[in-house]
Amino acid sequence: MPLRALTTDRERILDAIDELQAQGESVLWNGIQGAAGVLDADADPEAQPTVVVITGSGSFASLTTAGDAVGTLRNAGAPVYAIGLEGDRLDTGGLEDVVARAGGHPLDLELERG
């Protein structure tokens, strides 16, 4: 469930990114599917539904599959843009596969933490 309402306000988006903190085990596929699930491709004809993923891990505890996440992204008409944070738990192969199948781009799958 999203912690914030959907917005096109750039400052609210940047503030939300600044507040991100990793907690618990990674449920990457659940997170992607959940984000895509709240998008409504018909809500605003001027808006492009998009999912941006920032992760430092693969999906270790998801109850859904990468394929299910891709299907939900496609149903929402939402490309996914992925930023992977460098580390030993990052699964670039799995994330790149989801990005390629759903449409979108890996922005930098090994962004250095800083």
Side-chain angles (χ1 to χ4, degrees), residues 26-98:
S26 173
V27 289
L28 184 58
W29 309 142
N30 287 68
I32 292 172
Q33 185 178 43
V38 299
L39 298 174
D40 182 357
D42 300 323
D44 181 352
E46 298 295 316
Q48 164 62 56
T50 304
V51 173
V52 177
V53 175
I54 302 171
T55 185
S57 179
S59 190
F60 296 103
S62 285
L63 300 176
T64 191
T65 67
D68 291 336
V70 168
T72 306
L73 286 162
R74 287 182 178 169
N75 288 341
V80 61
Y81 296 88
I83 300 167
L85 302 175
E86 187 178 71
D88 59 346
R89 292 176 50 103
L90 181 61
D91 174 12
T92 57
L95 196 52
E96 286 174 340
D97 179 59
V98 167

Side-chain angles (χ1 to χ4, degrees), residues 3-5 7 9-21 54:
L3 298 177
R4 306 261 189 298
T7 184
D9 181 328
R10 180 178 164 80
E11 289 305 313
R12 282 188 58 208
I13 294 168
L14 293 174
D15 288 345
I17 290 170
D18 287 341
E19 294 174 12
L20 291 175
Q21 295 181 30
I54 302 171

